[in-house]
Amino acid sequence: MGQKAARAIRTYIETRPDDGALDDYTDRLKEIRDLLASMADGGEGDAAALQSDLSQIASTVETGSGALSMTAWPSAKLF
C-alpha cells in the first residue's frame, strides 16, 4: 500500500461520523443531494446557501474517533 492510500484510510477512520451522528440530518442531506443534482442539470438553486447548510451540519457532527471535525480545524487551538 502506498503512502497516499494509507493517508486516505487514516483520514477516513479519524474523521468519519459517529454511528447515528447524521440520523437527524438524513432528510435534509437527501434534499441537498437532490437539489445539487438538479442544479448540475441546469436547475435553479443557491449553491452558497447549500454550502452554508452543509457547513452547519458538519459543525455539529461528532467523529467516531473523537478527532476534530474538518470544520473545527480553523478555530481549533492546537498549540
Side-chain angles (χ1 to χ4, degrees):
M1 177 181 341
Q3 185 176 6
K4 286 184 180 182
R7 187 176 8 202
I9 292 168
R10 179 178 176 196
T11 300
Y12 169 77
I13 290 170
E14 290 180 353
T15 60
R16 69 183 171 81
D18 227 353
D19 288 340
L22 294 171
D23 289 352
D24 293 342
Y25 304 103
T26 299
D27 291 337
R28 181 60 184 144
L29 290 169
K30 288 178 182 178
E31 289 174 9
I32 292 170
R33 176 201 61 202
D34 295 343
L35 285 167
L36 289 171
S38 172
M39 291 167 63
D41 290 336
E44 299 278 326
D46 185 349
L50 295 177
Q51 182 177 5
S52 177
D53 287 353
L54 288 170
S55 292
Q56 173 62 32
I57 292 169
S59 71
T60 65
V61 174
E62 301 258 344
T63 60
S65 69
L68 292 172
S69 70
M70 296 307 284
T71 59
W73 283 107
S75 60
K77 295 180 180 171
L78 300 176
F79 301 102

PDB file of all heavy atoms in Angstrom, residues 17-48:
ATOM      1  N   PRO A  17     -18.073  10.041  10.625  1.00  0.00           N
ATOM      2  CA  PRO A  17     -19.031  10.393  11.679  1.00  0.00           C
ATOM      3  C   PRO A  17     -19.285   9.228  12.632  1.00  0.00           C
ATOM      4  O   PRO A  17     -19.187   8.065  12.252  1.00  0.00           O
ATOM      5  CB  PRO A  17     -20.309  10.731  10.926  1.00  0.00           C
ATOM      6  CG  PRO A  17     -19.993  10.694   9.490  1.00  0.00           C
ATOM      7  CD  PRO A  17     -18.659  10.076   9.300  1.00  0.00           C
ATOM      8  N   ASP A  18     -19.604   9.588  13.853  1.00  0.00           N
ATOM      9  CA  ASP A  18     -20.043   8.606  14.836  1.00  0.00           C
ATOM     10  C   ASP A  18     -21.284   7.899  14.309  1.00  0.00           C
ATOM     11  O   ASP A  18     -22.061   8.497  13.558  1.00  0.00           O
ATOM     12  CB  ASP A  18     -20.418   9.351  16.125  1.00  0.00           C
ATOM     13  CG  ASP A  18     -19.839   8.730  17.371  1.00  0.00           C
ATOM     14  OD1 ASP A  18     -19.248   7.653  17.279  1.00  0.00           O
ATOM     15  OD2 ASP A  18     -19.987   9.352  18.434  1.00  0.00           O
ATOM     16  N   ASP A  19     -21.485   6.655  14.685  1.00  0.00           N
ATOM     17  CA  ASP A  19     -22.699   5.938  14.274  1.00  0.00           C
ATOM     18  C   ASP A  19     -23.927   6.716  14.726  1.00  0.00           C
ATOM     19  O   ASP A  19     -24.024   7.113  15.887  1.00  0.00           O
ATOM     20  CB  ASP A  19     -22.730   4.532  14.882  1.00  0.00           C
ATOM     21  CG  ASP A  19     -21.720   3.596  14.255  1.00  0.00           C
ATOM     22  OD1 ASP A  19     -21.257   3.883  13.130  1.00  0.00           O
ATOM     23  OD2 ASP A  19     -21.397   2.575  14.887  1.00  0.00           O
ATOM     24  N   GLY A  20     -24.817   6.977  13.791  1.00  0.00           N
ATOM     25  CA  GLY A  20     -26.051   7.695  14.097  1.00  0.00           C
ATOM     26  C   GLY A  20     -25.913   9.205  14.151  1.00  0.00           C
ATOM     27  O   GLY A  20     -26.902   9.907  14.360  1.00  0.00           O
ATOM     28  N   ALA A  21     -24.697   9.726  13.960  1.00  0.00           N
ATOM     29  CA  ALA A  21     -24.474  11.173  14.081  1.00  0.00           C
ATOM     30  C   ALA A  21     -25.226  11.974  13.026  1.00  0.00           C
ATOM     31  O   ALA A  21     -25.516  13.152  13.238  1.00  0.00           O
ATOM     32  CB  ALA A  21     -22.985  11.488  14.013  1.00  0.00           C
ATOM     33  N   LEU A  22     -25.533  11.355  11.899  1.00  0.00           N
ATOM     34  CA  LEU A  22     -26.221  12.076  10.824  1.00  0.00           C
ATOM     35  C   LEU A  22     -27.714  11.744  10.743  1.00  0.00           C
ATOM     36  O   LEU A  22     -28.410  12.263   9.876  1.00  0.00           O
ATOM     37  CB  LEU A  22     -25.551  11.771   9.483  1.00  0.00           C
ATOM     38  CG  LEU A  22     -24.125  12.292   9.360  1.00  0.00           C
ATOM     39  CD1 LEU A  22     -23.469  11.753   8.105  1.00  0.00           C
ATOM     40  CD2 LEU A  22     -24.109  13.807   9.367  1.00  0.00           C
ATOM     41  N   ASP A  23     -28.196  10.914  11.658  1.00  0.00           N
ATOM     42  CA  ASP A  23     -29.601  10.490  11.603  1.00  0.00           C
ATOM     43  C   ASP A  23     -30.576  11.666  11.588  1.00  0.00           C
ATOM     44  O   ASP A  23     -31.555  11.656  10.850  1.00  0.00           O
ATOM     45  CB  ASP A  23     -29.938   9.559  12.764  1.00  0.00           C
ATOM     46  CG  ASP A  23     -29.285   8.191  12.627  1.00  0.00           C
ATOM     47  OD1 ASP A  23     -28.692   7.904  11.555  1.00  0.00           O
ATOM     48  OD2 ASP A  23     -29.359   7.418  13.599  1.00  0.00           O
ATOM     49  N   ASP A  24     -30.309  12.688  12.398  1.00  0.00           N
ATOM     50  CA  ASP A  24     -31.201  13.849  12.464  1.00  0.00           C
ATOM     51  C   ASP A  24     -31.177  14.675  11.179  1.00  0.00           C
ATOM     52  O   ASP A  24     -32.065  15.496  10.963  1.00  0.00           O
ATOM     53  CB  ASP A  24     -30.830  14.755  13.636  1.00  0.00           C
ATOM     54  CG  ASP A  24     -31.092  14.105  14.983  1.00  0.00           C
ATOM     55  OD1 ASP A  24     -31.865  13.121  15.037  1.00  0.00           O
ATOM     56  OD2 ASP A  24     -30.527  14.580  15.988  1.00  0.00           O
ATOM     57  N   TYR A  25     -30.169  14.486  10.369  1.00  0.00           N
ATOM     58  CA  TYR A  25     -29.988  15.302   9.163  1.00  0.00           C
ATOM     59  C   TYR A  25     -30.257  14.545   7.868  1.00  0.00           C
ATOM     60  O   TYR A  25     -30.104  15.112   6.790  1.00  0.00           O
ATOM     61  CB  TYR A  25     -28.562  15.854   9.132  1.00  0.00           C
ATOM     62  CG  TYR A  25     -28.222  16.645  10.366  1.00  0.00           C
ATOM     63  CD1 TYR A  25     -27.417  16.094  11.363  1.00  0.00           C
ATOM     64  CD2 TYR A  25     -28.723  17.921  10.553  1.00  0.00           C
ATOM     65  CE1 TYR A  25     -27.115  16.804  12.504  1.00  0.00           C
ATOM     66  CE2 TYR A  25     -28.417  18.643  11.700  1.00  0.00           C
ATOM     67  CZ  TYR A  25     -27.617  18.081  12.674  1.00  0.00           C
ATOM     68  OH  TYR A  25     -27.325  18.792  13.799  1.00  0.00           O
ATOM     69  N   THR A  26     -30.654  13.296   7.962  1.00  0.00           N
ATOM     70  CA  THR A  26     -30.809  12.461   6.774  1.00  0.00           C
ATOM     71  C   THR A  26     -31.750  13.083   5.750  1.00  0.00           C
ATOM     72  O   THR A  26     -31.419  13.155   4.558  1.00  0.00           O
ATOM     73  CB  THR A  26     -31.299  11.048   7.160  1.00  0.00           C
ATOM     74  OG1 THR A  26     -30.326  10.462   8.017  1.00  0.00           O
ATOM     75  CG2 THR A  26     -31.483  10.172   5.942  1.00  0.00           C
ATOM     76  N   ASP A  27     -32.904  13.547   6.176  1.00  0.00           N
ATOM     77  CA  ASP A  27     -33.866  14.128   5.232  1.00  0.00           C
ATOM     78  C   ASP A  27     -33.294  15.365   4.550  1.00  0.00           C
ATOM     79  O   ASP A  27     -33.414  15.524   3.330  1.00  0.00           O
ATOM     80  CB  ASP A  27     -35.184  14.467   5.923  1.00  0.00           C
ATOM     81  CG  ASP A  27     -35.954  13.230   6.354  1.00  0.00           C
ATOM     82  OD1 ASP A  27     -35.721  12.146   5.775  1.00  0.00           O
ATOM     83  OD2 ASP A  27     -36.793  13.351   7.273  1.00  0.00           O
ATOM     84  N   ARG A  28     -32.661  16.243   5.324  1.00  0.00           N
ATOM     85  CA  ARG A  28     -32.091  17.460   4.742  1.00  0.00           C
ATOM     86  C   ARG A  28     -30.934  17.122   3.799  1.00  0.00           C
ATOM     87  O   ARG A  28     -30.807  17.733   2.727  1.00  0.00           O
ATOM     88  CB  ARG A  28     -31.615  18.418   5.831  1.00  0.00           C
ATOM     89  CG  ARG A  28     -31.034  19.714   5.295  1.00  0.00           C
ATOM     90  CD  ARG A  28     -32.037  20.502   4.480  1.00  0.00           C
ATOM     91  NE  ARG A  28     -31.418  21.697   3.910  1.00  0.00           N
ATOM     92  CZ  ARG A  28     -31.718  22.184   2.726  1.00  0.00           C
ATOM     93  NH1 ARG A  28     -32.654  21.624   1.981  1.00  0.00           N
ATOM     94  NH2 ARG A  28     -31.111  23.251   2.264  1.00  0.00           N
ATOM     95  N   LEU A  29     -30.101  16.169   4.159  1.00  0.00           N
ATOM     96  CA  LEU A  29     -28.999  15.782   3.281  1.00  0.00           C
ATOM     97  C   LEU A  29     -29.504  15.210   1.964  1.00  0.00           C
ATOM     98  O   LEU A  29     -28.935  15.485   0.902  1.00  0.00           O
ATOM     99  CB  LEU A  29     -28.082  14.779   3.991  1.00  0.00           C
ATOM    100  CG  LEU A  29     -27.256  15.367   5.131  1.00  0.00           C
ATOM    101  CD1 LEU A  29     -26.591  14.254   5.931  1.00  0.00           C
ATOM    102  CD2 LEU A  29     -26.230  16.361   4.621  1.00  0.00           C
ATOM    103  N   LYS A  30     -30.593  14.462   2.015  1.00  0.00           N
ATOM    104  CA  LYS A  30     -31.189  13.952   0.779  1.00  0.00           C
ATOM    105  C   LYS A  30     -31.735  15.086  -0.073  1.00  0.00           C
ATOM    106  O   LYS A  30     -31.592  15.077  -1.303  1.00  0.00           O
ATOM    107  CB  LYS A  30     -32.286  12.938   1.099  1.00  0.00           C
ATOM    108  CG  LYS A  30     -31.751  11.618   1.610  1.00  0.00           C
ATOM    109  CD  LYS A  30     -32.883  10.661   1.958  1.00  0.00           C
ATOM    110  CE  LYS A  30     -32.361   9.360   2.507  1.00  0.00           C
ATOM    111  NZ  LYS A  30     -33.465   8.443   2.888  1.00  0.00           N
ATOM    112  N   GLU A  31     -32.353  16.084   0.564  1.00  0.00           N
ATOM    113  CA  GLU A  31     -32.844  17.260  -0.171  1.00  0.00           C
ATOM    114  C   GLU A  31     -31.691  17.986  -0.852  1.00  0.00           C
ATOM    115  O   GLU A  31     -31.799  18.387  -2.013  1.00  0.00           O
ATOM    116  CB  GLU A  31     -33.552  18.229   0.778  1.00  0.00           C
ATOM    117  CG  GLU A  31     -34.884  17.760   1.302  1.00  0.00           C
ATOM    118  CD  GLU A  31     -35.443  18.708   2.349  1.00  0.00           C
ATOM    119  OE1 GLU A  31     -34.887  19.818   2.545  1.00  0.00           O
ATOM    120  OE2 GLU A  31     -36.437  18.333   2.995  1.00  0.00           O
ATOM    121  N   ILE A  32     -30.602  18.179  -0.114  1.00  0.00           N
ATOM    122  CA  ILE A  32     -29.432  18.857  -0.671  1.00  0.00           C
ATOM    123  C   ILE A  32     -28.873  18.065  -1.844  1.00  0.00           C
ATOM    124  O   ILE A  32     -28.544  18.631  -2.882  1.00  0.00           O
ATOM    125  CB  ILE A  32     -28.364  19.094   0.425  1.00  0.00           C
ATOM    126  CG1 ILE A  32     -28.879  20.121   1.438  1.00  0.00           C
ATOM    127  CG2 ILE A  32     -27.043  19.545  -0.185  1.00  0.00           C
ATOM    128  CD1 ILE A  32     -28.012  20.262   2.676  1.00  0.00           C
ATOM    129  N   ARG A  33     -28.766  16.745  -1.692  1.00  0.00           N
ATOM    130  CA  ARG A  33     -28.290  15.888  -2.777  1.00  0.00           C
ATOM    131  C   ARG A  33     -29.151  16.081  -4.019  1.00  0.00           C
ATOM    132  O   ARG A  33     -28.637  16.271  -5.130  1.00  0.00           O
ATOM    133  CB  ARG A  33     -28.331  14.430  -2.339  1.00  0.00           C
ATOM    134  CG  ARG A  33     -27.932  13.445  -3.435  1.00  0.00           C
ATOM    135  CD  ARG A  33     -28.433  12.060  -3.188  1.00  0.00           C
ATOM    136  NE  ARG A  33     -29.889  12.036  -3.126  1.00  0.00           N
ATOM    137  CZ  ARG A  33     -30.583  11.077  -2.528  1.00  0.00           C
ATOM    138  NH1 ARG A  33     -29.972  10.084  -1.917  1.00  0.00           N
ATOM    139  NH2 ARG A  33     -31.900  11.104  -2.526  1.00  0.00           N
ATOM    140  N   ASP A  34     -30.464  16.067  -3.841  1.00  0.00           N
ATOM    141  CA  ASP A  34     -31.377  16.206  -4.967  1.00  0.00           C
ATOM    142  C   ASP A  34     -31.291  17.593  -5.593  1.00  0.00           C
ATOM    143  O   ASP A  34     -31.349  17.732  -6.821  1.00  0.00           O
ATOM    144  CB  ASP A  34     -32.808  15.890  -4.535  1.00  0.00           C
ATOM    145  CG  ASP A  34     -32.988  14.434  -4.112  1.00  0.00           C
ATOM    146  OD1 ASP A  34     -32.112  13.598  -4.452  1.00  0.00           O
ATOM    147  OD2 ASP A  34     -33.991  14.142  -3.430  1.00  0.00           O
ATOM    148  N   LEU A  35     -31.149  18.628  -4.769  1.00  0.00           N
ATOM    149  CA  LEU A  35     -31.000  19.987  -5.291  1.00  0.00           C
ATOM    150  C   LEU A  35     -29.712  20.123  -6.096  1.00  0.00           C
ATOM    151  O   LEU A  35     -29.699  20.749  -7.162  1.00  0.00           O
ATOM    152  CB  LEU A  35     -31.022  21.005  -4.154  1.00  0.00           C
ATOM    153  CG  LEU A  35     -32.384  21.295  -3.534  1.00  0.00           C
ATOM    154  CD1 LEU A  35     -32.214  22.070  -2.232  1.00  0.00           C
ATOM    155  CD2 LEU A  35     -33.250  22.069  -4.511  1.00  0.00           C
ATOM    156  N   LEU A  36     -28.628  19.551  -5.595  1.00  0.00           N
ATOM    157  CA  LEU A  36     -27.354  19.611  -6.316  1.00  0.00           C
ATOM    158  C   LEU A  36     -27.439  18.878  -7.649  1.00  0.00           C
ATOM    159  O   LEU A  36     -26.914  19.356  -8.662  1.00  0.00           O
ATOM    160  CB  LEU A  36     -26.225  19.043  -5.463  1.00  0.00           C
ATOM    161  CG  LEU A  36     -25.805  19.899  -4.265  1.00  0.00           C
ATOM    162  CD1 LEU A  36     -24.843  19.132  -3.372  1.00  0.00           C
ATOM    163  CD2 LEU A  36     -25.192  21.208  -4.725  1.00  0.00           C
ATOM    164  N   ALA A  37     -28.119  17.745  -7.665  1.00  0.00           N
ATOM    165  CA  ALA A  37     -28.300  17.003  -8.916  1.00  0.00           C
ATOM    166  C   ALA A  37     -29.115  17.828  -9.900  1.00  0.00           C
ATOM    167  O   ALA A  37     -28.787  17.887 -11.093  1.00  0.00           O
ATOM    168  CB  ALA A  37     -28.978  15.661  -8.650  1.00  0.00           C
ATOM    169  N   SER A  38     -30.139  18.485  -9.413  1.00  0.00           N
ATOM    170  CA  SER A  38     -30.966  19.340 -10.267  1.00  0.00           C
ATOM    171  C   SER A  38     -30.151  20.515 -10.802  1.00  0.00           C
ATOM    172  O   SER A  38     -30.239  20.865 -11.981  1.00  0.00           O
ATOM    173  CB  SER A  38     -32.169  19.855  -9.477  1.00  0.00           C
ATOM    174  OG  SER A  38     -32.885  20.813 -10.211  1.00  0.00           O
ATOM    175  N   MET A  39     -29.344  21.117  -9.935  1.00  0.00           N
ATOM    176  CA  MET A  39     -28.507  22.241 -10.359  1.00  0.00           C
ATOM    177  C   MET A  39     -27.488  21.797 -11.396  1.00  0.00           C
ATOM    178  O   MET A  39     -27.179  22.545 -12.328  1.00  0.00           O
ATOM    179  CB  MET A  39     -27.826  22.879  -9.143  1.00  0.00           C
ATOM    180  CG  MET A  39     -28.794  23.617  -8.224  1.00  0.00           C
ATOM    181  SD  MET A  39     -28.087  24.061  -6.625  1.00  0.00           S
ATOM    182  CE  MET A  39     -26.784  25.176  -7.100  1.00  0.00           C
ATOM    183  N   ALA A  40     -26.966  20.593 -11.252  1.00  0.00           N
ATOM    184  CA  ALA A  40     -25.994  20.069 -12.220  1.00  0.00           C
ATOM    185  C   ALA A  40     -26.628  19.890 -13.590  1.00  0.00           C
ATOM    186  O   ALA A  40     -25.944  19.972 -14.610  1.00  0.00           O
ATOM    187  CB  ALA A  40     -25.426  18.741 -11.730  1.00  0.00           C
ATOM    188  N   ASP A  41     -27.941  19.683 -13.598  1.00  0.00           N
ATOM    189  CA  ASP A  41     -28.674  19.533 -14.858  1.00  0.00           C
ATOM    190  C   ASP A  41     -29.248  20.848 -15.352  1.00  0.00           C
ATOM    191  O   ASP A  41     -30.091  20.869 -16.245  1.00  0.00           O
ATOM    192  CB  ASP A  41     -29.805  18.512 -14.690  1.00  0.00           C
ATOM    193  CG  ASP A  41     -29.291  17.100 -14.537  1.00  0.00           C
ATOM    194  OD1 ASP A  41     -28.160  16.817 -14.997  1.00  0.00           O
ATOM    195  OD2 ASP A  41     -30.021  16.262 -13.954  1.00  0.00           O
ATOM    196  N   GLY A  42     -28.825  21.969 -14.747  1.00  0.00           N
ATOM    197  CA  GLY A  42     -29.255  23.279 -15.195  1.00  0.00           C
ATOM    198  C   GLY A  42     -30.381  23.894 -14.389  1.00  0.00           C
ATOM    199  O   GLY A  42     -30.872  24.970 -14.721  1.00  0.00           O
ATOM    200  N   GLY A  43     -30.808  23.228 -13.325  1.00  0.00           N
ATOM    201  CA  GLY A  43     -31.876  23.758 -12.492  1.00  0.00           C
ATOM    202  C   GLY A  43     -31.419  24.928 -11.640  1.00  0.00           C
ATOM    203  O   GLY A  43     -30.231  25.178 -11.479  1.00  0.00           O
ATOM    204  N   GLU A  44     -32.390  25.633 -11.108  1.00  0.00           N
ATOM    205  CA  GLU A  44     -32.123  26.788 -10.244  1.00  0.00           C
ATOM    206  C   GLU A  44     -31.714  26.318  -8.854  1.00  0.00           C
ATOM    207  O   GLU A  44     -32.142  25.252  -8.402  1.00  0.00           O
ATOM    208  CB  GLU A  44     -33.394  27.641 -10.129  1.00  0.00           C
ATOM    209  CG  GLU A  44     -33.890  28.211 -11.430  1.00  0.00           C
ATOM    210  CD  GLU A  44     -33.162  29.474 -11.827  1.00  0.00           C
ATOM    211  OE1 GLU A  44     -32.784  30.252 -10.922  1.00  0.00           O
ATOM    212  OE2 GLU A  44     -32.952  29.677 -13.026  1.00  0.00           O
ATOM    213  N   GLY A  45     -30.929  27.144  -8.171  1.00  0.00           N
ATOM    214  CA  GLY A  45     -30.544  26.819  -6.806  1.00  0.00           C
ATOM    215  C   GLY A  45     -29.506  27.793  -6.287  1.00  0.00           C
ATOM    216  O   GLY A  45     -28.868  28.513  -7.058  1.00  0.00           O
ATOM    217  N   ASP A  46     -29.368  27.824  -4.988  1.00  0.00           N
ATOM    218  CA  ASP A  46     -28.428  28.724  -4.324  1.00  0.00           C
ATOM    219  C   ASP A  46     -27.294  27.887  -3.728  1.00  0.00           C
ATOM    220  O   ASP A  46     -27.421  27.354  -2.620  1.00  0.00           O
ATOM    221  CB  ASP A  46     -29.154  29.517  -3.240  1.00  0.00           C
ATOM    222  CG  ASP A  46     -28.293  30.562  -2.566  1.00  0.00           C
ATOM    223  OD1 ASP A  46     -27.059  30.565  -2.776  1.00  0.00           O
ATOM    224  OD2 ASP A  46     -28.856  31.391  -1.824  1.00  0.00           O
ATOM    225  N   ALA A  47     -26.204  27.769  -4.458  1.00  0.00           N
ATOM    226  CA  ALA A  47     -25.080  26.939  -4.027  1.00  0.00           C
ATOM    227  C   ALA A  47     -24.491  27.432  -2.713  1.00  0.00           C
ATOM    228  O   ALA A  47     -24.111  26.622  -1.859  1.00  0.00           O
ATOM    229  CB  ALA A  47     -24.006  26.900  -5.114  1.00  0.00           C
ATOM    230  N   ALA A  48     -24.433  28.743  -2.518  1.00  0.00           N
ATOM    231  CA  ALA A  48     -23.867  29.286  -1.280  1.00  0.00           C
ATOM    232  C   ALA A  48     -24.720  28.901  -0.078  1.00  0.00           C
ATOM    233  O   ALA A  48     -24.189  28.570   0.990  1.00  0.00           O
ATOM    234  CB  ALA A  48     -23.737  30.800  -1.386  1.00  0.00           C
TER     235      ALA A  48
END
